[in-house]
Amino acid sequence: MNRDENLTRSLEGHTLHHNNVFSKSGEWIVFDGRNDDTKIGETAVIGIVNAYTGEERLLYKVPNQTVYGPGVGAASFHPKEDKVIFIHGLPDADEHMPYAISRRTAKIVDLADLGTALDADARDIEYPYLPGSLRGGTHSHCWSPDGTMVSFTYNDEYVDRDIRMVGVMVKADSMLQVDKMGGNNDGAYYSAIVSDVKRNPLKGSDEISKAFDECWLPATAVNGLKHDAVVFQGNTLNSQGEVITEIYLVEIDKQQLLADIEAVGEKGERPRVPQLVVARRLTRSENGLSDFRHWLRTSQDGKYIYALGKDDKGNNQLVRCEVDSGNLNYLSDFSFSINSPINLNPQSDALTFVAQGQVYVFYLLKDSLVRLTDFGNDDGEVVGVPSFSSDGKFIVFNQFVKANNNRWYIQIKKLTL
């Protein structure tokens, strides 16, 4: 087994997000202060830890944090710059209006200017709405490969709060400025929804009731895309009326997002998808993807999308979609079920995940599975999803560790490959 080491030691939570936890240099790892995945609303700290020395630094601390919010979490590094984006609850959070999926935005912190947290997406709840703004909550932000755009999932606060959509932010030429009132904030990015979602999709159609857990697909000569695309999971109904999760693809032309200012929507409706922005269904599989929560992953050459699918026994297995054809194929037939999201290494030839309480790597070219850990019942639970380092030479992951005060904390561990 590969030897694991505690990278963090301070007595607080150190929860890793599912994407882009490493800085562009690979030296720093970003985390939030949660000890419970469900407690973003109660979490006040975003920090970084040095991947080699274990030095910890505070990036951001929420002013006036309470058990009701605002709360922060789910932090990711920019791929080209020393910047971090993360969820931030609304500053007016209280007992009556606490942190919620429809009451959050994104903030960006530059490592060179730790005193400033920039509002990413503008929020405008007073009609008429400012084009490029939203009036709900954004979540699980993910930078595009070149760092000029951000994908996110969205829940509106006023219309169909339970319906999840996928959107994209584009850096604006100047700050989007909204009326100064409770629930509003300015934004440095222009936001648009890119998934058309219906509460009651037609059976056997390509319509979807939920769009979620996306990632970016780079435009390459292999897939023939003109623009980088967002691929996301969409819940649709098969001909029998059963919910099935398929993969959808939408190319992101920045000019199309900016051109339709009416897409911000009218009062009493959700933001609309801009004209000419059309998502297409990529897979037409028999069983679809697993209903276990995970995020899609794409190869650097833009040829493949990786996900989880269930086998005949209900176990989560690795599946791969060919972007060109939409064909979905099973890569694994493990005797166990994968019980974490997955991550792909920078070379796009290995996937990492958690199963049976252990960290694994599956090498795609060798069709080889390697178990990296040998934890016992007293070693603490492995949680979340492991992540490869920027050079692919080691993996970091979260595990509950028992401290001297007899309490358990989520810490970051490191495994050298």
Side-chain angles (χ1 to χ4, degrees), residues 4-40:
D4 63 274
E5 58 178 297
N6 284 349
L7 198 56
T8 56
R9 302 183 187 279
S10 60
L11 298 185
E12 60 183 20
H14 296 81
T15 292
L16 299 170
H17 194 31
H18 67 82
N19 72 66
N20 297 98
V21 299
F22 282 89
S23 64
K24 63 183 178 67
S25 67
E27 183 179 4
W28 296 98
I29 302 165
V30 67
F31 62 88
D32 65 62
R34 277 178 292 171
N35 269 315
D36 183 331
D37 185 60
T38 66
K39 300 295 186 182
I40 288 180

Side-chain angles (χ1 to χ4, degrees), residues 93-361:
D94 59 20
E95 182 179 3
H96 304 290
M97 294 193 302
Y99 171 89
I101 60 174
S102 61
R103 290 177 47 78
R104 54 190 180 183
T105 60
K107 284 188 182 288
I108 298 172
V109 169
D110 191 322
L111 270 63
D113 185 14
L114 297 184
T116 303
L118 180 70
D119 288 307
D121 48 317
R123 193 173 192 272
D124 186 5
I125 62 175
E126 185 72 16
Y127 186 79
Y129 310 119
L130 180 71
S133 69
L134 299 168
R135 45 198 174 273
T138 63
H139 158 263
S140 195
H141 310 94
C142 182
W143 299 98
S144 62
D146 63 0
T148 63
M149 298 181 286
V150 179
S151 70
F152 58 88
T153 48
Y154 176 75
N155 290 81
D156 197 81
E157 184 163 12
Y158 299 101
V159 181
D160 299 326
R161 187 179 301 179
D162 59 324
I163 291 182
R164 178 150 288 186
M165 295 155 275
V166 169
V168 169
M169 303 179 201
V170 178
K171 189 73 167 66
D173 293 333
S174 59
M175 287 290 291
L176 275 64
Q177 296 185 332
V178 300
D179 292 337
K180 301 301 181 285
M181 58 177 290
N184 276 6
N185 61 264
D186 298 340
Y189 285 71
Y190 187 103
S191 301
I193 301 302
V194 298
S195 62
D196 189 13
V197 179
K198 300 182 183 299
R199 180 169 291 280
N200 298 301
L202 295 174
K203 290 192 296 185
S205 73
D206 293 343
E207 296 176 349
I208 57 175
S209 60
K210 178 182 179 182
F212 58 104
D213 298 347
E214 83 292 350
C215 74
W216 286 90
L217 177 70
T220 67
V222 174
N223 57 38
L225 297 176
K226 295 180 180 179
H227 309 278
D228 288 346
V230 171
V231 288
F232 61 88
Q233 300 179 55
N235 283 351
T236 187
L237 298 180
N238 62 18
S239 57
Q240 288 76 44
E242 300 166 328
V243 176
I244 185 172
T245 303
E246 298 281 21
I247 299 175
Y248 288 74
L249 181 154
V250 55
E251 286 192 67
I252 306 301
D253 182 337
K254 297 179 186 179
Q255 297 309 311
Q256 289 180 353
L257 296 187
L258 299 170
D260 185 3
I261 62 174
E262 301 298 326
V264 69
E266 299 290 334
K267 192 171 185 177
E269 68 177 14
R270 293 184 265 113
R272 310 175 200 147
V273 177
Q275 295 182 28
L276 304 179
V277 176
V278 179
R280 60 183 172 92
R281 182 171 171 175
L282 197 58
T283 57
R284 297 183 181 277
S285 57
E286 182 177 352
N287 299 316
L289 303 184
S290 171
D291 58 0
F292 178 85
R293 190 173 190 192
H294 66 286
W295 285 262
L296 303 178
R297 294 292 179 250
T298 58
S299 59
Q300 281 195 338
D301 61 9
K303 186 176 181 179
Y304 297 116
I305 302 167
Y306 295 91
L308 295 177
K310 288 189 181 295
D311 62 19
D312 294 339
K313 298 178 181 178
N315 291 333
N316 295 316
Q317 303 287 352
L318 300 171
V319 296
R320 181 171 65 189
C321 169
E322 296 179 354
V323 174
D324 184 49
S325 66
N327 290 337
L328 192 67
N329 301 303
Y330 278 73
L331 299 177
S332 66
D333 185 23
F334 304 140
S335 60
F336 54 79
S337 183
I338 297 171
N339 58 5
S340 81
I342 58 175
N343 264 322
L344 188 65
N345 70 344
Q347 296 76 25
S348 298
D349 61 8
L351 289 158
T352 185
F353 53 84
V354 178
Q356 301 178 308
Q358 310 296 337
V359 179
Y360 287 84
V361 168

Side-chain angles (χ1 to χ4, degrees), residues 64-98:
N64 306 314
Q65 175 67 33
T66 73
V67 294
Y68 305 110
V72 291
S76 297
F77 263 110
H78 191 287
K80 307 289 185 182
E81 302 173 16
D82 286 328
K83 295 179 179 179
V84 168
I85 191 169
F86 53 91
I87 292 172
H88 197 295
L90 301 189
D92 63 355
D94 59 20
E95 182 179 3
H96 304 290
M97 294 193 302

Side-chain angles (χ1 to χ4, degrees), residues 43-83:
T43 300
V45 169
I46 301 293
I48 54 175
V49 59
N50 190 288
Y52 302 97
T53 67
E55 176 194 355
E56 290 188 35
R57 295 182 183 176
L58 177 67
L59 280 192
Y60 180 83
K61 187 170 184 178
V62 180
N64 306 314
Q65 175 67 33
T66 73
V67 294
Y68 305 110
V72 291
S76 297
F77 263 110
H78 191 287
K80 307 289 185 182
E81 302 173 16
D82 286 328
K83 295 179 179 179

